[in-house]
Amino acid sequence: MLVWKFSEKIVTIAVIFLIVYATAVFFELKINWYNWTIKSSVVFSKRDLSHWLEVYVPYSIGVGLVSLTVEVFLSILRILRKGNVFYRMWSVLSCGLISFAAFSLFAISLVPHTVIEHGTRAKVLNNYPLIQQLYQFADPYQITNSYGLFRSMTGVGGRPEIIIEGSNDNQKWKPYEFLYKPGDVYRRPPFVAPHQPRLDWQMWFAALGSYQHNPWFLNLVYRLLTAQPEVLELMGKNPFPQNPPKYIRATLYHYHFSSLDANSNR
């Protein structure tokens, strides 16, 4: 057991070191000790990434299958070392049912897992049509899904943000502040988690599209023009506390992180 635990620690340290090393190499991390900043740049192309996925996605499936098989095998060994014959028979039967469910989920998850590499996906679906049938059967229940909403990250060329402003003369404009989303560049970003600010979150999606795709945004503007209290409570400081403005405009800005050099003190 001591040898096994020691081996686990060695493997864990080796994996962490490999991840750090690969990150430093493939993203060309450079530390500027003078102003304590880290700069990075991607040193591989989209073609390189596609090639790596083509090579390593099948390996990831194999590693997952081997790991699951080993866990099932070790579970059966632990069962056979405990209790009487009836206990062992019942435990093996239970373990078999759970293992069947686990392998079924693993097979179903291969469909969303291989979305990132179309060649492997085609091989899985063509060579194992039963997997596709199982996935289609289980899909309405949302048992397995591909990872996350943002597999393609936004904001690379600056984070788009909508700034809503009001005016009574169409000349002087005052901004409506939100509680959480970026607005005033001189305001420190607040802590949000574990709260999920729904309106601020939706404003980010609106900035990624147009008002035609976000009809709720027009409704928001109307509520501001009528000073609806329930809506104003979802926002920060109201620049028109007495009466609502006559005009409202929405301007799209792109926000960028500042650096720690002299120019960031402006």
Side-chain angles (χ1 to χ4, degrees):
M1 292 296 294
L2 292 178
V3 175
W4 178 259
K5 291 182 179 180
F6 179 75
S7 301
E8 286 183 338
K9 292 182 179 180
I10 294 297
V11 171
T12 301
I13 294 174
V15 170
I16 294 175
F17 175 80
L18 181 62
I19 293 175
V20 173
Y21 176 76
T23 302
V25 172
F26 293 120
F27 293 91
E28 202 174 25
L29 298 182
K30 295 180 179 179
I31 302 177
N32 188 328
W33 299 104
Y34 178 75
N35 54 14
W36 293 93
T37 58
I38 299 178
K39 294 185 177 181
S40 65
S41 61
V42 179
V43 298
F44 55 87
S45 63
K46 185 177 180 179
R47 179 178 296 180
D48 294 332
L49 178 60
S50 299
H51 175 69
W52 293 338
L53 291 174
E54 182 181 358
V55 173
Y56 291 110
V57 167
Y59 282 109
S60 69
I61 297 175
V63 170
L65 182 59
V66 170
S67 300
L68 180 56
T69 304
V70 170
E71 286 296 327
V72 171
F73 178 74
L74 293 177
S75 298
I76 294 176
L77 287 181
R78 287 192 292 266
I79 290 173
L80 296 177
R81 295 175 182 175
K82 297 180 180 180
N84 53 37
V85 176
F86 294 102
Y87 172 81
R88 294 175 184 176
M89 291 177 59
W90 175 255
S91 298
V92 169
L93 179 61
S94 301
C95 182
L97 292 175
I98 295 174
S99 299
F100 175 77
F103 278 107
S104 299
L105 286 175
F106 178 82
I108 294 172
S109 67
L110 293 181
V111 177
H113 174 67
T114 54
V115 168
I116 59 176
E117 208 292 293
H118 299 290
T120 304
R121 180 183 177 86
K123 292 178 182 178
V124 170
L125 299 182
N126 293 333
N127 297 335
Y128 306 97
L130 180 60
I131 292 179
Q132 175 71 1
Q133 295 174 8
L134 289 173
Y135 177 78
Q136 291 176 348
F137 174 78
D139 185 51
Y141 304 101
Q142 297 293 305
I143 297 176
T144 60
N145 300 279
S146 53
Y147 174 74
L149 291 171
F150 309 110
R151 287 171 288 174
S152 177
M153 294 306 297
T154 58
V156 176
R159 178 187 173 101
E161 288 291 345
I162 297 176
I163 302 300
I164 300 177
E165 298 172 296
S167 174
N168 285 315
D169 56 7
N170 205 19
Q171 297 294 327
K172 297 180 180 180
W173 296 89
K174 297 180 181 180
Y176 280 89
E177 289 292 337
F178 287 76
L179 294 174
Y180 304 101
K181 89 176 193 69
D184 184 0
V185 295
Y186 295 100
R187 186 185 68 171
R188 183 178 61 185
F191 285 95
V192 178
H195 175 60
Q196 173 71 334
R198 184 68 177 176
L199 177 59
D200 299 64
W201 181 247
Q202 288 296 104
M203 286 295 294
W204 180 33
F205 286 105
L208 297 174
S210 63
Y211 70 89
Q212 291 93 339
H213 298 114
N214 298 273
W216 63 267
F217 182 76
L218 297 179
N219 192 24
L220 171 65
V221 172
Y222 174 75
R223 303 300 176 183
L224 295 178
L225 286 171
T226 56
Q228 184 168 334
E230 293 84 357
V231 174
L232 293 173
E233 288 178 359
L234 299 175
M235 306 180 67
K237 182 180 179 181
N238 181 10
F240 301 93
Q242 302 300 328
N243 296 298
K246 296 180 179 180
Y247 309 97
I248 278 187
R249 71 179 183 183
T251 309
L252 182 67
Y253 291 88
H254 284 83
Y255 282 59
H256 299 266
F257 282 106
S258 61
S259 60
L260 293 179
D261 57 18
N263 292 329
S264 64
N265 294 323
R266 292 181 299 177

